[in-house]
Amino acid sequence: MITIKSPREIETMAAAGRIVAATLALVAQHVAPGVSTEHLDRLAEEFIRSHPGARPSFKGLYDFPATLCTSINDEIVHGIPSPKRILTEGDLLSVDVGVWLDGLHADSAATFPVGPVSAAAEQLLRVTQAALQAGLGQARAGNHVGDIGSAVQQVAETAGFSVVRELVGHGIGSSFHEEPQVPNYGKPKRGPRLVAGMTIAIEPMVNVGAPEIRTLDDKWTVVTVDGSLSAHFEHTVAIGQNGAPPRILTLAD
Ligand code: MG
Ligand code: MG
């Protein structure tokens, strides 16, 4: 069931989203060679819990053990923070974080370069961000979920990259994952119609190489089968009235 949020619920999600954005900004300040992903996770958890009424969405969600998903290079999503995972110059680190505040969630992700990175990695970051922006541009009442996926896919594939198929964006609210699914591929005018007050997470996962994925033995970390680099950017948005652009809920003040 697709739920429509009240203006008050959307304000609460925006408040959660501001904490999410501030968490990503805090993590970004600490991304550097020699830092462990577990250190970043601890900073993030302490920061989120310092806000009254807020807690990390991921910790315990489907038994995930941490506040952040930290995914390095060919890891696409769902990497588990570890004291043994030390960032190295040239890495790409994807950080995904959700915050629950007063009964509602917000969800965002960004991929950070660790020091200078290759030209291909820089292009991947630019293209994945552009793909997210293209998807956001289609997130308007009257459009369909397929308009978002089509826009994301076109940007990624025009650049010669591929989009992950098996993992998708999603509705979000009192549950972290709600309907509808929001794929990063698709055809215009297909899929559920977007209605004002829907809140969805749009989250392109873009690979330099082929789209195929596999899950590591830890049962969480999802990687590219061909070992190519992957990037992930995500915002939670509320669909506006009368075809207006969406309100991005995971922005800083
Ligand atoms: Mg996320
Ligand atoms: Mg998400």
Side-chain angles (χ1 to χ4, degrees):
M1 189 183 70
I2 294 174
T3 60
I4 304 301
K5 277 70 176 183
S6 69
R8 189 163 166 273
E9 288 173 312
I10 290 172
E11 289 308 321
T12 299
M13 291 180 69
R18 284 191 288 274
I19 301 172
V20 168
T23 305
L24 283 175
L26 174 71
V27 168
Q29 285 172 13
H30 289 84
V31 168
V35 171
S36 75
T37 53
E38 193 268 348
H39 176 70
L40 300 175
D41 188 69
R42 196 168 53 235
L43 288 174
E45 179 167 4
E46 287 172 4
F47 178 74
I48 291 167
R49 291 190 192 280
S50 74
H51 297 78
R55 64 170 170 77
S57 297
F58 293 175
K59 205 161 194 179
L61 182 69
Y62 315 118
D63 291 328
F64 189 77
T67 292
L68 302 179
C69 295
T70 50
S71 308
I72 299 172
N73 294 335
D74 62 320
E75 298 170 356
I76 302 165
V77 287
H78 303 166
I80 301 171
S82 163
K84 294 182 205 151
R85 294 305 301 276
I86 310 293
L87 299 177
T88 302
E89 186 169 295
D91 283 344
L92 288 186
L93 172 68
S94 295
V95 178
D96 196 348
V97 60
V99 166
W100 180 94
L101 178 70
D102 298 336
L104 291 155
H105 295 276
D107 182 18
S108 184
T111 301
F112 303 112
V114 182
V117 298
S118 69
E122 283 184 4
Q123 196 204 356
L124 177 66
L125 296 182
R126 280 196 302 273
V127 168
T128 309
Q129 286 175 285
L132 173 57
Q133 290 302 320
L136 294 171
Q138 295 298 318
R140 296 165 185 255
N143 277 1
H144 294 252
V145 166
D147 291 301
I148 296 172
S150 172
V152 168
Q153 181 180 14
Q154 191 172 351
V155 170
E157 294 184 353
T158 297
F161 299 145
S162 66
V163 294
V164 171
R165 305 298 182 106
E166 291 90 341
L167 301 162
V168 296
H170 50 95
I172 178 169
S174 57
S175 297
F176 194 78
H177 292 119
E178 298 185 349
E179 290 180 40
Q181 294 197 349
V182 182
N184 295 302
Y185 61 94
K187 292 196 165 62
K189 306 292 169 211
R190 303 283 179 85
R193 183 182 285 269
L194 300 171
V195 175
M198 281 174 64
T199 47
I200 57 174
I202 302 174
E203 50 178 313
M205 287 152 264
V206 177
N207 300 345
V208 166
E212 284 76 24
I213 67 172
R214 68 185 176 91
T215 303
L216 299 184
D217 289 341
D218 66 14
K219 303 275 200 288
W220 279 107
T221 311
V222 178
V223 301
T224 58
V225 167
D226 64 8
S228 68
L229 284 176
S230 188
H232 183 208
F233 286 89
E234 175 179 30
H235 277 305
T236 296
V237 303
I239 304 300
Q241 301 285 344
N242 303 319
R247 179 175 174 190
I248 300 175
L249 302 177
T250 40
L251 290 178
D253 283 323

